Amino acid sequence: MKTSTPKSLIATLALLSIGLTACSGSSDAAQETPAENQTFTVAPNSFPVTLDQHSVSAEAAVFSPMQHVMQPLVVRGDNDANEVEPGLAQSWELVDDTTWRFNIHPDAEFSDGTPVTSADAAASIQRILDFGGGLAPLLEPITTMDTSDDKVLLLETETPLGTLLNTLSLVLIGPADQMDDEAFWEQPIGSGPFEVENFTVDQELVLSSDEDWWGDQDIALDELVFRSMPEQSSRLSALANNEVDLVTGITADATGEVEAMDGVEFEKIPSMGYRKLWFNSSVEPFTDPNVRRAMWHAVDVESIVKDLFGEDAMVAKAPIPQTAFGAPELEQYEYDPEYAQELLAEAGYPDGFETSIQYTDGDGTPDSQLAQAFISAWDEIGVTVNAQPKERAVFLEDFGNADYDMNLMGNSVATGDADYTLGRLYLCADERNGYCNEELDDLLNQAKAELDQDVRKDLYHEASEIIWDEAVGIFPMDSTEAYAYSDHIQDLDMDPAARHDYFSVSVNEQ
């Protein structure tokens, strides 16, 4: 049996229960006839740029499909469960405040028949640490990984780490002796119920079911296909023509079109997603907090969010969405262009300045819409901002290298806990946006180590206030997750953090 989860984690994970389950198909499911061809085709709003999840560990676009191929030690509970559940680890326990024991399932094996070992789990964690990507800061407190027993992984942490289980749910495990070979990631193997049949960059990812999968969950699908369609209009056209079964990330302006489609269901769920504009605080003039505050006061956030996204977004009240554990309710910056100009003058820029903003390209995307609205507002206070839309791969590289003046992008709190965002993006050591504050570091490190949930919440409130008051970025909106699917799809369960899995999906005859 699985050991009990520490009480401090229960409340955190309970927040994930806000996700709503959408079950597609007829309400009289017993009369539905399963299709002979159990192929499910997804046109996601973001297509994976690589299959190496460790190299882009925080990317939902990669994790979502790859979790069907590679499994983590533990998985987030379903929408009715308030705890993590067994993955490759059939049980775990907190031996003492800083030692965790994970017992790997004795039957767990990769698709080539080799057993999954503690060394494989340790190597996967280490690869994420070595890459230094989005998850690395959350794993850095791990000081020792003992793999002396092939089926037991002992993790020791520098301090108590109440968020470890949440974080490990995002670490996919691969074979230790193969993962450092670049060729491996062209067609990687894992321990999940699907295998990579084909991956063509910017085109298609095809997964086929593994008939010899060691797990006991019933998987109805024979094939799972992800298609790259950068333009939303193309994705929706493909859905209307039954060329794809699911389209994710539907924007507000397309809602009417989707709701009018025959044979298509449209759903929205509360989301762990939000949008943020970061200033590069290491680059002039954004080294001055008054310049950053001026840029925020110059933007009528409430009107822009309402006009562009309507009911599909909510004006942000914190640097993380309100659905996440640890989010306070703060007051959005007042729209005051005159005060913005005063702040610029005090900072030595009475005539404004010229800068740039980068975001992923694609007409009609939330980022391009927000960017254009912001650029127009900034022009009114004498700040000229050059738009830099970029292909996603280039954007991610420049973002990872902090090679930008301002960066606009969507993000999600994948674990539902503030630590996932605040504790991995805003520490000085993260070097993500040029901002460094030792007081903030102290609060975030205390929160990471604290096991008392109420204390952690208070610490995250204080940390959020600093990020907000210092205008590390502009935080305009919390998002909903909108998607549409063919009505012959059964048992579709979508994730509020956009890390969707399709293990329960089946296809009925049309």
Side-chain angles (χ1 to χ4, degrees), residues 398-414:
D398 289 346
F399 171 65
N401 294 328
D403 185 12
Y404 61 84
D405 294 326
M406 292 186 289
N407 182 87
L408 178 62
M409 67 186 299
N411 198 12
S412 68
V413 184

Side-chain angles (χ1 to χ4, degrees), residues 252 304-313 365-366 369-370 477:
I304 290 172
V305 170
K306 180 180 179 180
D307 292 344
L308 292 180
F309 306 107
E311 296 180 356
D312 287 350
T365 64
Q369 291 176 298
L370 280 171
M477 59 185 258

Side-chain angles (χ1 to χ4, degrees), residues 164-456:
L164 182 62
L165 293 181
N166 282 343
T167 302
L168 289 178
S169 73
L170 299 178
V171 178
L172 300 179
I173 308 303
D177 60 348
Q178 300 183 53
M179 292 186 295
D180 289 334
D181 184 352
E182 289 185 11
F184 170 80
W185 294 103
E186 296 175 7
Q187 196 170 17
I189 66 169
S191 59
F194 289 87
E195 299 176 285
V196 176
E197 188 74 23
N198 176 63
F199 176 55
T200 304
V201 177
D202 295 331
Q203 293 186 34
E204 191 174 66
L205 169 61
V206 180
L207 308 180
S208 58
S209 64
D210 179 4
E211 296 180 357
D212 297 322
W213 183 49
W214 66 274
D216 58 7
Q217 181 178 352
D218 292 331
I219 305 295
L221 295 179
D222 298 316
E223 194 171 64
L224 179 54
V225 180
F226 298 85
R227 289 189 182 159
S228 176
M229 294 179 155
E231 299 300 326
Q232 178 173 257
S233 58
S234 299
R235 297 196 298 274
L236 295 180
S237 177
L239 178 64
N241 295 325
N242 289 315
E243 297 169 5
V244 302
D245 300 306
L246 170 68
V247 172
T248 65
I250 296 174
T251 56
D253 58 335
T255 298
E257 175 187 352
V258 175
E259 290 180 329
M261 290 182 181
D262 291 333
V264 169
E265 301 288 341
F266 176 70
E267 300 281 352
K268 287 192 294 186
I269 60 173
S271 171
M272 293 289 178
Y274 66 102
R275 284 197 138 65
K276 59 182 173 65
L277 181 151
W278 269 354
F279 303 107
N280 190 336
S281 295
S282 67
V283 174
E284 296 285 353
F286 300 126
T287 54
D288 190 328
N290 273 342
V291 171
R292 304 194 299 263
R293 294 183 185 114
M295 297 291 279
W296 199 340
H297 279 295
V299 177
D300 188 351
V301 171
E302 293 191 13
S303 294
I304 290 172
V305 170
K306 180 180 179 180
D307 292 344
L308 292 180
F309 306 107
E311 296 180 356
D312 287 350
M314 294 149 287
V315 174
K317 298 179 180 179
I320 52 176
Q322 293 298 297
T323 50
F325 170 80
E329 292 191 25
L330 307 174
E331 289 191 16
Q332 181 62 230
Y333 272 49
E334 181 182 1
Y335 173 53
D336 191 339
E338 291 185 3
Y339 180 52
Q341 288 178 309
E342 290 177 14
L343 289 173
L344 288 181
E346 290 177 13
Y349 299 94
D351 299 320
F353 56 90
E354 184 173 353
T355 186
S356 65
I357 181 172
Q358 72 163 13
Y359 52 92
T360 53
D361 60 359
D363 292 337
T365 64
D367 292 337
S368 65
Q369 291 176 298
L370 280 171
Q372 293 305 319
F374 286 2
I375 289 171
S376 295
W378 290 324
D379 186 62
E380 295 297 317
I381 63 168
V383 176
T384 300
V385 179
N386 300 310
Q388 294 184 338
K390 299 179 180 179
E391 294 182 0
R392 188 161 184 79
V394 176
F395 169 85
L396 289 174
E397 181 178 359
D398 289 346
F399 171 65
N401 294 328
D403 185 12
Y404 61 84
D405 294 326
M406 292 186 289
N407 182 87
L408 178 62
M409 67 186 299
N411 198 12
S412 68
V413 184
T415 62
D417 189 294
D419 181 66
Y420 177 81
T421 294
L422 303 185
R424 74 182 179 91
L425 299 180
Y426 293 95
L427 292 168
C428 293
D430 298 338
E431 298 182 342
R432 303 302 294 271
N433 51 32
Y435 180 79
C436 178
N437 184 319
E438 292 183 1
E439 180 186 359
L440 179 63
D441 269 21
D442 185 54
L443 289 169
L444 293 176
N445 286 325
Q446 287 183 58
K448 193 184 296 288
E450 180 59 57
L451 297 178
D452 185 298
Q453 202 75 352
D454 290 333
V455 175
R456 291 185 67 235

